Amino acid sequence: MWSGLALKNWFWQGLFVLHFTSLVFAQEITLKAKVGDSVLLPCCYKLPSLQALFKYRVYWQTKNSDVVIAYSKGTLLRTDAKYENRTKMDLQNLTMSIFPVKLSDNDIYECIVQELENGAYKLACDVTVVLAVVADFSKPVISADVPKDACGSTEVMVNCSSHGGFPKPRVSGILNNMSVDWQTKAAASENSLYNVTAKLQLNLTEDIVLTCTIEYDDFKVSSNYSLTPRPEKLCPRAMALGHSRK
């Protein structure tokens, strides 16, 4: 079994003279995947048959040159411990699968294929795959701090919170069909997932329907909340005045 350093040295020695060609033929693909799902990272080459693999070197690495999967002459040389039991390469179209996807898989990957011709390896193709990992935020929880003795027009602080998502979110809201701006605070936890809290101060003078929406990447999750002010005629002071006039 090759060590990581030896494997990198072996591969980069083979690629050094092909660096310029690699720059010319390099492609870039962007993919998105959710935590817990599976994802297929396409390479740029399809072998004519499974038996042809012995004529190729195939190398999947990250932008930091960390080896993910490497094959040479049909033999698996190494799978990085970070991806062990979670990655597999199709031996004909060279696609690499990752399952289950973790937040740490958010990275830039490169598939490099070399073909053996006349006793020397020549670059067949080189593709870069940008993997953007998304973690779903929880359904927002909305609450309102309403004074117990509130009556009629009342200042109310509304809170909206959600947790466990990625990337950093944006909070938007609708109040009776009008857009509102939340005071938002998003913080990353120890596992790099974000927790977000948002506050909205409003003057409660009528029935309202409020929506809090957490937007992250191309995804969003929202909740609705209703508030009804206490009618003036039911206020203790108003009722007391009514009784005194009788």
Side-chain angles (χ1 to χ4, degrees), residues 45-58:
Y45 199 84
K46 183 176 181 179
L47 304 185
S49 67
L50 292 176
Q51 292 73 27
L53 186 60
F54 76 93
K55 293 177 55 181
Y56 291 84
R57 287 175 175 173
V58 183

Side-chain angles (χ1 to χ4, degrees), residues 76-108:
L76 175 63
L77 299 179
R78 184 169 183 256
T79 300
D80 190 277
K82 174 183 173 182
Y83 300 94
E84 195 169 1
N85 299 322
R86 294 196 304 118
T87 55
K88 185 177 181 180
M89 190 185 79
D90 186 285
L91 300 183
Q92 188 164 3
N93 64 26
L94 312 182
T95 296
M96 182 176 69
S97 60
I98 302 177
F99 176 80
V101 172
K102 296 182 178 181
L103 188 60
S104 58
D105 297 329
N106 191 76
D107 212 329
I108 299 175

